[in-house]
Amino acid sequence: KAGVTQTPRYLIKTRGQQVTLSCSPISGHRSVSWYQQTPGQGLQFLFEYFSETQRNKGNFPGRFSGRQFSNSRSEMNVSTLELGDSALYLCASSSLRAGDNEQFFGPGTRLTVL
Amino acid sequence: TQLLEQSPQFLSIQEGENLTVYCNSSSVFSSLQWYRQEPGEGPVLLVTVVTGGEVKKLKRLTFQFGDARKDSSLHITAAQPGDTGLYLCAGAIVGNAGKSTFGDGTTLTVKP
């Protein structure tokens, strides 16, 4: 079974631009979560989508948004990029079977904002 | 306030030594996961514990879930350089499936 894939792996943008990151979950997984990881803040939860609906949201500004398609693939968008948005963005999928919250992560997208 | 407190934050040991990493919270979790992450990659799931008092073993790694489901520990026996990495605990609070909270992680370095 193929794992979680994320594209692109690396991205360099300048302040004020916008960016869209893509995530394809494991086949059959309907929950997709996004995280931001930085050395200073650790792994911070952005949002979770389940069956095309945002079900949970972290404490990030409205510049961070996402969506999920009918095939469970997900995208996240960051508008008006700031230097502080430089981070590793991780996507994780879950089947949410039996009430556990096991997540399977993609390799991440390394975003650098100049 | 961090919901999940991990300790120690950094650990550097010699090959062959034993170590324990702790994950503590004041909240009750429906389940708790441990992950290992290498630089530039996503975290990889090691184990899930669900029942209070549960102990799971994965080769040289032993995971324990506290009786009250508020804390967990990871014990590594005879550490090897290949164990080097960032160890993260994560949990879903009871009634909030789909939203995992992560600890800040323990960076483990095992020197040959």
Side-chain angles (χ1 to χ4, degrees):
Chain A
K1 192 182 255 191
V4 177
T5 58
Q6 290 186 247
T7 57
R9 288 295 308 274
Y10 303 92
L11 208 46
I12 299 175
K13 292 285 187 178
T14 56
R15 280 181 298 173
Q17 287 188 310
Q18 73 153 19
V19 67
T20 299
L21 312 181
S22 182
C23 171
S24 292
I26 291 172
S27 178
H29 286 191
R30 294 166 64 189
S31 170
V32 174
S33 298
W34 288 89
Y35 296 87
Q36 181 195 66
Q37 187 175 34
T38 59
Q41 296 296 318
L43 233 138
Q44 301 292 314
F45 175 78
L46 281 156
F47 27 67
E48 184 235 357
Y49 285 86
F50 182 82
S51 294
E52 302 179 65
T53 301
Q54 186 182 91
R55 191 166 62 165
N56 287 289
K57 190 176 188 303
N59 297 321
F60 278 81
R63 300 186 296 107
F64 292 82
S65 63
R67 58 178 175 167
Q68 187 180 33
F69 302 96
S70 58
N71 62 358
S72 293
R73 191 176 70 84
S74 178
E75 289 181 348
M76 69 161 279
N77 185 78
V78 188
S79 62
T80 319
L81 285 166
E82 301 177 359
L83 295 178
D85 296 333
S86 294
L88 180 67
Y89 289 87
L90 293 161
C91 161
S93 75
S94 176
S95 65
L96 295 180
R97 62 176 172 80
D100 68 41
N101 216 40
E102 292 185 343
Q103 297 188 73
F104 297 87
F105 285 83
T109 294
R110 171 71 64 183
L111 172 65
T112 302
V113 181
L114 302 176
Chain B
T1 303
Q2 187 69 14
L3 200 58
L4 274 171
E5 298 281 350
Q6 276 190 250
S7 62
Q9 189 176 358
F10 298 97
L11 195 51
S12 180
I13 61 173
Q14 293 295 134
E15 183 176 1
E17 292 183 0
N18 302 331
L19 66 115
T20 302
V21 176
Y22 300 92
C23 179
N24 296 299
S25 177
S26 57
S27 300
V28 178
F29 291 92
S30 56
S31 68
L32 195 140
Q33 286 77 37
W34 284 92
Y35 297 83
R36 178 169 162 267
Q37 184 179 20
E38 297 193 28
E41 298 294 329
V44 174
L45 178 67
L46 296 174
V47 79
T48 292
V49 285
V50 177
T51 306
E54 182 176 5
V55 176
K56 281 192 174 179
K57 291 192 175 184
L58 188 68
K59 295 183 181 178
R60 295 177 294 100
L61 277 59
T62 302
F63 304 87
Q64 187 161 5
F65 202 13
D67 291 340
R69 292 186 292 148
K70 292 182 178 181
D71 54 84
S72 181
S73 64
L74 156 61
H75 182 80
I76 301 179
T77 303
Q80 299 176 359
D83 295 327
T84 294
L86 176 67
Y87 288 83
L88 295 157
C89 66
I93 295 173
V94 172
N96 202 357
K99 183 176 181 180
S100 278
T101 298
F102 280 77
D104 282 342
T106 295
T107 299
L108 171 65
T109 302
V110 182
K111 301 174 185 176

